[in-house]
Amino acid sequence: MPLCNFDQYPSFALVNACVVTCDGEGDSPRDRLGIIAPGVVLVQGEKVGCVGKVSDFSFDGSIQTIDVQGRLVTPGLVDPHTHLVFAGSRMDEFQAKMRGVDYRKIGQEGGGIMRTVRATRGSDEIALLKRLESRLARMLRRGVTLVEVKSGYGLNIGEEMRLLRLGKSVSEKVLDGNEVGVKQLPRTTTTLLGAHAIPQEYAGNREEYVNLVLKMVDLVSGHENGMRLAEACDVYIESHAFSVGEAKRILESAKKRGLLVRAHVGQFEDIGGAEMVAEMGGISCDHLEHVSDKALGAMAAAGTRAVLLPGAWRTLRQQAPDAQRMQRMGVEVAVGTDANPGTSPCFDLLVALGLAVRDAGLDPEAALLAITREAAEACGAQQAGRIRAGWRADLAIWDEVDPLVFGYALGGLEPRAVIIAGKWVLEHDGDWSLIFQ
Ligand code: NIG
Ligand code: FE
């Protein structure tokens, strides 16, 4: 029996749930998880009507109630950092890396990011869209309802715009049933990453390429058919990519034009990018394998999130950053997949989370916050990452009863059902059996 037969946007209530709102106040992770058990989530149309204790509700039969038997109901998960629009694989580079070849050397010899740029430029629209949809469908099956999607494998105006348009077009898309059980894809929020690498055409003329990125910023911050192609602008700040000065020019222009600003910083060395992004009021600094106390202090003061990307430190065999140090200094931590064919062939946010707990020392109890509310803040997503009355009803129902499970399991968790904007978009039949009992 399917859990729910609703096709459109009716009202219904999930009752007897362990509701993990991720919307609590307080210093301890438990408080911030905001657990209400046994709880109710009332969904009205596309939104959460109210959330509360079972004892505060009485139902008169006018509304469908679904007894979830103590299971966890969480916000839909949020992946705050992906490079999902790409063609081709770099499996052979992975093999070389495992044999000890340096990632940056592979890039200098024509592989790396530029190899994916060539494959992506050569791939037609339909093929790119199919790949993107299939990756997003996999993410939905892990309970992810919102995904940040970067450009960055186009590196000229036409190609970068094409990738952003694809990233936007999948949002709201209802699938034709090709992906078993998935009726709709996660929503997306898009980020311009024109400053991902200097393309060969501009080798020897960096400034001209930076000027081209400034043109991209102009274009995406204008409106096309009433909408912006990107909500945010990202720069890869590293000595083999863009300098702090170059990034500052790009991000200042983006900020002036109303885009949110963020950056890849400290993946290989700390060249001062994090302070600059924090001082500009950036929403996130991502990677941070190398970061100074001063930069963390600036991030804490500005409310800039740290986005940990375990898939990348695992592929590059790096020492993980120290999440506890970040949190002690007042920096909120989010976790993303960094899904890309080079440094992070990972499409499973829950595996990334498990690695962040183990390798970076992220508190297992706080782990869920890193892929819900903090992830939403890190990518500037509105009405996402928390269960709150009046917000969009993006929810996941799990065959689990303790939120600690998200930091404990290393993958393998799948939601029983996923709801996006009040609509039942994925559901599994079968026994309600727990993995851990
Ligand atoms: O987040 N660091 C830069 N960008 C990606 C890697 C992209 C690639 O190698 O294709 C990252 O790790
Ligand atoms: Fe990345």
Side-chain angles (χ1 to χ4, degrees):
M1 276 286 285
L3 196 62
C4 181
N5 283 319
F6 295 132
D7 279 337
Q8 267 308 313
Y9 299 104
S11 294
F12 58 89
L14 303 173
V15 302
N16 293 325
C18 176
V19 185
V20 192
T21 63
C22 297
D23 197 27
E25 301 288 337
D27 291 334
S28 78
R30 266 269 141 185
D31 289 343
R32 291 151 62 77
L33 283 174
I35 299 168
I36 304 174
V40 172
V41 182
L42 177 66
V43 176
Q44 290 177 303
E46 298 185 27
K47 298 196 180 291
V48 171
C50 51
V51 201
K53 289 201 185 106
V54 165
S55 52
D56 296 338
F57 286 79
S58 66
F59 294 102
D60 60 5
S62 64
I63 188 166
Q64 171 140 13
T65 56
I66 298 151
D67 186 343
V68 301
Q69 302 165 23
R71 265 58 182 181
L72 297 175
V73 174
T74 70
L77 309 183
V78 177
D79 191 337
H81 182 135
T82 81
H83 305 252
L84 272 196
V85 206
F86 67 86
S89 105
R90 299 197 340 238
M91 279 185 214
D92 52 344
E93 291 182 8
F94 179 76
Q95 192 180 15
K97 284 193 283 262
M98 292 308 105
R99 290 175 176 165
V101 181
D102 188 83
Y103 169 70
R104 288 164 289 185
K105 185 161 177 283
I106 294 172
Q108 280 155 14
E109 289 171 355
I113 293 173
M114 283 317 296
R115 182 159 163 214
T116 301
V117 169
R118 288 190 294 276
T120 307
R121 284 180 182 171
S123 180
D124 69 58
E125 210 99 332
I126 309 269
L128 276 177
L129 185 63
K130 283 246 159 297
R131 291 181 180 106
L132 176 59
E133 286 179 356
S134 153
R135 291 166 193 149
L136 286 168
R138 278 157 218 256
M139 291 180 163
L140 187 94
R141 287 198 288 263
R142 300 286 178 274
V144 175
T145 55
L146 193 134
V147 179
E148 185 258 13
V149 175
K150 299 177 198 297
S151 62
Y153 292 122
L155 306 189
N156 63 38
I157 288 183
E159 287 292 319
E160 285 290 299
M161 300 301 118
R162 180 166 86 120
L163 303 187
L164 291 172
R165 265 183 220 115
L166 284 168
K168 277 257 167 269
S169 70
V170 284
S171 231
E172 314 283 327
K173 187 157 178 178
V174 177
L175 292 180
D176 56 13
N178 280 347
E179 292 285 345
V180 181
V182 175
K183 296 179 195 157
Q184 189 191 311
L185 297 172
R187 282 163 190 266
T188 55
T189 179
T190 47
T191 301
L192 171 68
L193 180 58
H196 197 190
I198 304 269
Q200 268 112 352
E201 311 88 271
Y202 290 86
N205 198 349
R206 307 178 60 87
E207 189 161 352
E208 209 183 307
Y209 187 67
V210 171
N211 290 336
L212 191 76
V213 176
L214 292 173
K215 284 204 192 107
M216 294 176 196
V217 168
D218 266 349
L219 284 170
V220 303
S221 56
H223 287 76
E224 189 178 281
N225 303 325
M227 78 177 181
R228 282 190 152 177
L229 280 183
E231 285 77 36
C233 180
D234 193 341
V235 175
Y236 185 23
I237 304 176
E238 203 69 48
S239 53
H240 62 275
F242 292 83
S243 70
V244 175
E246 289 165 339
K248 195 165 181 219
R249 276 187 71 205
I250 294 166
L251 294 176
E252 266 172 356
S253 160
K255 189 178 173 185
K256 221 187 291 157
R257 285 162 179 72
L259 298 179
L260 299 165
V261 307
R262 56 189 306 188
H264 287 66
V265 290
Q267 186 180 23
F268 293 94
E269 41 180 326
D270 179 10
I271 60 167
E275 287 99 310
M276 184 271 288
V277 172
E279 277 156 20
M280 213 182 273
I283 49 173
S284 76
C285 290
D286 305 45
H287 285 295
L288 296 173
E289 277 76 8
H290 304 270
V291 63
S292 66
D293 279 355
K294 187 165 161 266
L296 289 176
M299 287 173 62
T304 305
R305 264 60 185 176
V307 180
L308 305 187
L309 303 170
W313 73 61
R314 165 258 181 199
T315 303
L316 300 172
R317 288 197 158 146
Q318 291 174 316
Q319 174 76 41
D322 181 349
Q324 288 175 23
R325 171 181 167 231
M326 294 172 176
Q327 287 172 321
R328 264 197 315 276
M329 294 206 56
V331 176
E332 302 296 351
V333 173
V335 170
T337 58
D338 198 12
N340 77 72
T343 59
S344 189
C346 170
F347 299 87
D348 193 326
L349 187 58
L350 291 167
V351 169
L353 187 69
L355 292 175
V357 168
R358 158 63 180 79
D359 298 352
L362 186 66
D363 180 347
E365 198 165 40
L368 181 62
L369 298 170
I371 53 167
T372 53
R373 80 191 244 176
E374 301 312 335
E377 296 285 347
C379 65
Q382 304 290 312
Q383 296 200 8
R386 307 180 193 222
I387 303 178
R388 183 184 282 187
W391 280 26
R392 194 172 60 228
D394 290 353
L395 307 166
I397 307 173
W398 306 84
D399 282 339
E400 297 297 331
V401 294
D402 188 332
L404 196 60
V405 76
F406 294 103
Y408 170 58
L410 186 60
L413 296 179
E414 286 183 356
R416 155 147 300 252
V418 179
I419 293 161
I420 296 184
K423 203 166 153 195
W424 226 266
V425 296
L426 174 79
E427 49 190 302
H428 289 303
D429 290 346
D431 292 343
W432 284 57
S433 49
L434 305 175
I435 297 185
F436 301 111
Q437 58 184 345

